[in-house]
Amino acid sequence: MENTFYSPKGFQVAGVACGLKTGGQKDLAVFLSQTPCQVAGVFTSNKVKAAPVVYDQQIVQSGKSVRAVVANAGNANACTGEAGMQHAQQMAAAGSQLFDGQADDVLVLSTGVIGVPLPVEKVTGGIESAAGQLSSANWLDAAHAIMTTDTEVKIASVQSPSGYTITGVAKGAGMISPNMATMLSVICTDAALTPEMLDKVPHVWAQSFNRIVVDGDMSTNDTVLLLANGAAGVEAGVESDFYDLLSEVSTQLAKAIVQDGEGATKLVTVTINHAATPQDADTIARAIATSPLCKTAFYGADPNWGRVVCAAGYAQAAFDSDKACLTLTDGAQEICLFSYGQAAEYDEPAAIALMETDAWELVLDLGLGDSDTWVWTCDLSHEYVTINGHYRT
Amino acid sequence: MENTFYSPKGFQVAGVACGLKTGGQKDLAVFLSQTPCQVAGVFTSNKVKAAPVVYDQQIVQSGKSVRAVVANAGNANACTGEAGMQHAQQMAAAGSQLFDGQADDVLVLSTGVIGVPLPVEKVTGGIESAAGQLSSANWLDAAHAIMTTDTEVKIASVQSPSGYTITGVAKGAGMISPNMATMLSVICTDAALTPEMLDKVPHVWAQSFNRIVVDGDMSTNDTVLLLANGAAGVEAGVESDFYDLLSEVSTQLAKAIVQDGEGATKLVTVTINHAATPQDADTIARAIATSPLCKTAFYGADPNWGRVVCAAGYAQAAFDSDKACLTLTDGAQEICLFSYGQAAEYDEPAAIALMETDAWELVLDLGLGDSDTWVWTCDLSHEYVTINGHYRT
């Protein structure tokens, strides 16, 4: 993705190496606002929540403002018991010393291996060394510092005509599923938001970060945060404009996560049209997007529509293959693979050629109702197995 | 698995090549009884059902007796419209000519690629040529003829002290999920069963064929059939003895399917103890058994218990990591990996060495109630991706 970005006013960021990753790679990011920020957040729905998730949820749900976010990669601080909660607190306290504040002015994020105690001295040492690096120019460093198995830095940025900026970073790669799997994202804006506008931010994320599938696993650490400090001196103005711009940033980041999914070679949009209910549309889209057989066929550029129809058939949702049509498209050409219970007549080499490209769409029309949806997913490759067979070694 | 078998009285079987598979491999099996058989069957719960499934379900549900089963590999006869139903009927009619019967005296099974019209002349030609091959000795040929991506023939056989025999064949490999995914099995016995005993046969399969997971996909064609012709001249006797023996045959076949799952290198038993409800136990067992992250860790012999706990946490079931313990065992040694919310102290090289063996068990004790269960699953390997990335080419 494009790595140009605008810096929202009043934010300074840094990305440094604190020794959690081997080889001196950056593994600690700080996002600091000169003034208190309104904050919106969504968190993993996994019943096993990492300590930083538990810590942040309390603060975000209280509605209080915050000044900073501190994030580390290389250790998830999940399944780490009482000590894990203390470490999250210590991380926040160290962050608050950057601006003479309190621990609850700081949110914390962690990502990496589960169940290993967080070497908290490394983290607090990293926060100290980040103090000298804080700058409005260091967004790429911050984005680098939260990467785990990501191969590309993820940053997205927009400016509104009225003069405010929204800039976000994210990390993803493994364990990405529609309900916020190991994904971290911090989005900062210098717009000022009303509390009502803040409340609706999760709806924007439901259409972006919650629409992505890498492997269907759902992590203990997923968190998306929006910090708004109002430093641009303009209200966000017409609500829909702000949501459109936030959606643009969020969608860019979410799609970047799928495109850079572990071992992914393709971005596939699975679109479901005319489902009986919104829930049915969602269930079928996700059954297809998580099916190992569909995902390996995507990898092999094999227009094996039988696997897609089969996945729709076992999803717990209304489906009648005699009313369904499946089309492959890249926006330019449309190739109908299956219609009304049977194979369509199609040009197999053309379908294969289309599936060999980087990004395309499967449209399954169910012919049952008026509910439509989509999810973004990727293929399942040899490289996914290589990465995950020996993650810790 | 052992390939010795006993032949139940009054059954003749054959496996021949009819040209559906390339290279002259066997692809058509016939199972013929000299006398009418009572029949029990379970079928895929996929809403997209192959023509042979629709055809067989009508007959099995009617309670009528049958004389034969004809099965082909190389083509699933699924998503083939009206023509598919006619082809299933023609297959059965051809089978009935082996004994001068009617089409509804014959059940049909198909497995292979979805959505390609069945070349029914090849199948009926194969049935004709099978006529000359029918023998009580040809069980291995029949077992070979139903294989698709299976690498080993699957046959299991037991004799009761009272003088009857139960012998079954199966095929599996891909798309195996707990709800009967592309799995075919035909089990024949010369015991005589009461109608009440026949009704309970699906309960035996719920503890064997429905406990296996390869990739979580659920096929359009799954079928397990039991044919009982009574030719041994003895009643099955004490019901529990018959169920025990049928369970032994079914379990051997089911485990053989997982061990020979596409690309599988390991058989992993996922045991859940002390769940709040039987449904919760099942949901958590299957979340772990289908998680790509868990399955790649199994492949890499990586005791990454965090992924297992994480999968339990996102399953839609009661789970509290602070009450849970996870143990790795091969029957001889037990290695506790996780207890009550945190990593246990364990010998990592010993855990890796245990996971490098062919078969082992994960026991997750939830500490919540009194419901226990298990499923058998396999690992997710590079070979799985290779097989499924280019299945049709």
Side-chain angles (χ1 to χ4, degrees):
Chain A
M1 63 192 302
E2 291 275 336
N3 286 332
T4 57
F5 60 89
Y6 312 102
S7 186
K9 292 198 181 92
F11 284 95
Q12 293 185 305
V13 302
V16 300
C18 75
L20 292 170
K21 287 184 189 165
T22 52
Q25 293 179 74
K26 290 186 173 65
D27 51 15
L28 186 98
V30 175
F31 306 81
L32 175 65
S33 169
Q34 289 169 344
T35 54
C37 299
Q38 299 163 285
V39 59
V42 294
F43 301 92
T44 182
S45 57
N46 197 310
K47 282 176 284 292
V48 182
K49 293 183 205 309
V53 169
V54 174
Y55 177 87
D56 288 358
Q57 275 187 311
Q58 290 172 342
I59 294 172
V60 171
Q61 285 164 7
S62 76
K64 79 175 288 296
S65 62
V66 302
R67 285 284 301 278
V69 177
V70 179
N72 74 273
N75 185 304
N77 194 11
C79 296
T80 44
E82 288 286 311
M85 284 306 297
Q86 285 164 19
H87 292 157
Q89 189 90 25
Q90 285 174 263
M91 235 175 117
S96 71
Q97 297 191 359
L98 296 171
F99 56 92
D100 249 347
Q102 304 292 323
D104 66 356
D105 297 326
V106 179
L107 299 174
V108 292
L109 301 172
S110 297
T111 179
V113 68
I114 296 176
V116 176
L118 183 69
V120 71
E121 303 74 22
K122 290 184 180 175
V123 174
T124 54
I127 294 170
E128 278 176 48
S129 68
Q133 305 289 323
L134 286 163
S135 151
S136 62
N138 287 343
W139 284 88
L140 282 173
D141 285 350
H144 265 289
I146 59 172
M147 288 165 66
T148 49
T149 51
D150 305 70
T151 66
E152 296 198 9
V153 72
K154 296 167 187 72
I155 184 164
S157 190
V158 294
Q159 281 191 309
S160 84
S162 61
Y164 63 86
T165 296
I166 306 176
T167 297
V169 299
K171 61 85 48 180
M175 267 183 146
I176 303 303
S177 117
N179 290 305
M180 315 284 303
T182 295
M183 163 172 62
L184 299 181
S185 181
V186 179
I187 302 175
C188 299
T189 179
D190 48 16
L193 306 182
T194 63
E196 294 70 33
M197 289 179 71
L198 211 58
D199 286 347
K200 288 189 197 161
V201 165
H203 295 287
V204 173
W205 292 335
Q207 306 292 313
S208 52
F209 289 112
N210 270 341
R211 297 268 178 178
I212 60 178
V213 178
V214 170
D215 55 18
D217 276 73
M218 191 188 306
S219 118
T220 52
N221 289 59
D222 305 326
T223 306
V224 179
L225 297 173
L226 172 73
L227 272 62
N229 68 3
V234 290
E235 293 283 325
V238 180
E239 293 190 8
S240 62
D241 288 352
F242 176 75
Y243 294 131
D244 285 351
L245 292 171
L246 178 62
S247 175
E248 191 177 325
V249 167
S250 302
T251 300
Q252 279 185 36
L253 292 172
K255 290 174 83 165
I257 287 171
V258 177
Q259 281 177 302
D260 192 25
E262 284 174 346
T265 73
K266 298 185 177 78
L267 173 70
V268 179
T269 305
V270 177
T271 298
I272 306 296
N273 290 333
H274 297 112
T277 67
Q279 179 61 45
D280 279 3
D282 195 63
T283 300
I284 290 176
R286 287 165 193 231
I288 296 165
T290 54
S291 156
L293 284 173
C294 291
K295 290 164 82 78
T296 46
F298 300 164
Y299 175 55
D302 179 358
N304 194 332
W305 55 262
R307 295 184 182 177
V308 176
V309 173
C310 179
Y314 67 68
Q316 301 297 310
F319 180 70
D320 179 348
S321 61
D322 289 342
K323 295 183 177 170
C325 294
L326 181 69
T327 304
L328 185 64
T329 178
D330 60 0
Q333 49 174 336
E334 291 198 351
I335 303 175
C336 178
L337 301 177
F338 171 86
S339 67
Y340 308 120
Q342 304 184 53
E345 293 203 5
Y346 63 91
D347 180 348
E348 179 111 351
I352 292 170
L354 193 155
M355 290 179 76
E356 282 172 344
T357 64
D358 289 349
W360 40 267
E361 183 177 4
L362 274 177
V363 181
L364 179 62
D365 192 304
L366 303 182
L368 295 175
D370 56 9
S371 294
D372 303 337
T373 196
W374 82 94
V375 298
W376 292 295
T377 190
C378 59
D379 51 349
L380 172 57
S381 69
H382 290 103
E383 187 63 13
Y384 177 87
V385 177
T386 299
I387 293 168
N388 286 299
H390 303 276
Y391 176 65
R392 302 195 310 170
T393 53
Chain B
M1 64 192 303
E2 290 276 335
N3 286 333
T4 57
F5 60 88
Y6 311 102
S7 186
K9 292 198 180 92
F11 284 96
Q12 293 186 304
V13 302
V16 300
C18 76
L20 292 172
K21 287 183 188 165
T22 53
Q25 293 178 75
K26 291 188 173 62
D27 51 15
L28 186 98
V30 175
F31 306 82
L32 176 65
S33 170
Q34 290 168 344
T35 54
C37 298
Q38 300 162 285
V39 59
V42 294
F43 302 92
T44 182
S45 58
N46 197 309
K47 281 175 284 291
V48 182
K49 293 183 205 308
V53 169
V54 175
Y55 177 87
D56 289 357
Q57 274 186 311
Q58 289 172 344
I59 294 172
V60 171
Q61 284 163 8
S62 75
K64 81 174 287 296
S65 63
V66 303
R67 286 285 301 279
V69 178
V70 178
N72 75 272
N75 186 304
N77 195 12
C79 296
T80 44
E82 286 288 310
M85 282 307 299
Q86 287 164 17
H87 292 157
Q89 189 90 26
Q90 285 173 263
M91 235 175 117
S96 71
Q97 297 192 0
L98 296 171
F99 57 93
D100 249 348
Q102 304 293 322
D104 66 356
D105 297 325
V106 179
L107 300 175
V108 292
L109 301 173
S110 297
T111 179
V113 68
I114 296 175
V116 175
L118 183 71
V120 70
E121 304 76 21
K122 289 185 180 176
V123 173
T124 55
I127 293 169
E128 279 176 46
S129 68
Q133 304 290 324
L134 286 163
S135 152
S136 63
N138 286 344
W139 285 88
L140 282 173
D141 286 351
H144 266 290
I146 59 172
M147 289 165 65
T148 49
T149 51
D150 305 69
T151 65
E152 295 198 10
V153 72
K154 294 167 188 71
I155 184 164
S157 190
V158 294
Q159 280 190 311
S160 84
S162 60
Y164 63 86
T165 296
I166 307 176
T167 297
V169 299
K171 60 87 45 181
M175 265 184 149
I176 304 301
S177 118
N179 290 303
M180 315 281 304
T182 296
M183 163 173 61
L184 299 181
S185 181
V186 179
I187 302 174
C188 298
T189 180
D190 49 15
L193 306 183
T194 63
E196 293 71 32
M197 289 180 70
L198 212 58
D199 287 346
K200 290 188 195 161
V201 165
H203 295 288
V204 173
W205 293 335
Q207 306 292 313
S208 52
F209 290 113
N210 269 342
R211 297 266 179 180
I212 60 178
V213 177
V214 170
D215 55 17
D217 276 74
M218 190 188 307
S219 118
T220 51
N221 289 59
D222 305 325
T223 306
V224 179
L225 297 173
L226 172 73
L227 272 62
N229 69 2
V234 290
E235 294 282 324
V238 181
E239 292 193 6
S240 63
D241 289 352
F242 176 75
Y243 295 132
D244 286 350
L245 291 171
L246 178 62
S247 175
E248 192 178 325
V249 167
S250 302
T251 300
Q252 279 184 36
L253 292 172
K255 289 174 83 166
I257 287 171
V258 177
Q259 281 177 303
D260 193 26
E262 284 174 346
T265 72
K266 297 184 177 78
L267 174 69
V268 179
T269 306
V270 177
T271 298
I272 306 296
N273 290 334
H274 297 111
T277 68
Q279 179 61 45
D280 278 4
D282 195 63
T283 300
I284 290 176
R286 288 165 193 231
I288 296 165
T290 55
S291 157
L293 283 173
C294 291
K295 291 165 81 79
T296 46
F298 300 163
Y299 174 54
D302 179 357
N304 194 332
W305 55 262
R307 294 181 182 177
V308 176
V309 173
C310 179
Y314 67 67
Q316 301 296 310
F319 179 71
D320 179 348
S321 61
D322 288 341
K323 295 184 177 169
C325 295
L326 181 69
T327 304
L328 186 64
T329 178
D330 59 1
Q333 51 173 336
E334 292 198 349
I335 303 175
C336 178
L337 301 177
F338 171 85
S339 68
Y340 308 121
Q342 303 184 51
E345 292 203 4
Y346 63 91
D347 179 349
E348 179 112 351
I352 292 169
L354 194 156
M355 290 179 75
E356 281 171 344
T357 64
D358 289 350
W360 40 267
E361 183 178 5
L362 274 177
V363 182
L364 179 62
D365 192 305
L366 302 182
L368 295 174
D370 57 8
S371 294
D372 304 337
T373 195
W374 81 94
V375 300
W376 293 296
T377 189
C378 60
D379 53 347
L380 173 57
S381 70
H382 289 102
E383 187 63 13
Y384 177 88
V385 177
T386 299
I387 293 167
N388 286 299
H390 303 277
Y391 176 65
R392 301 194 311 170
T393 52

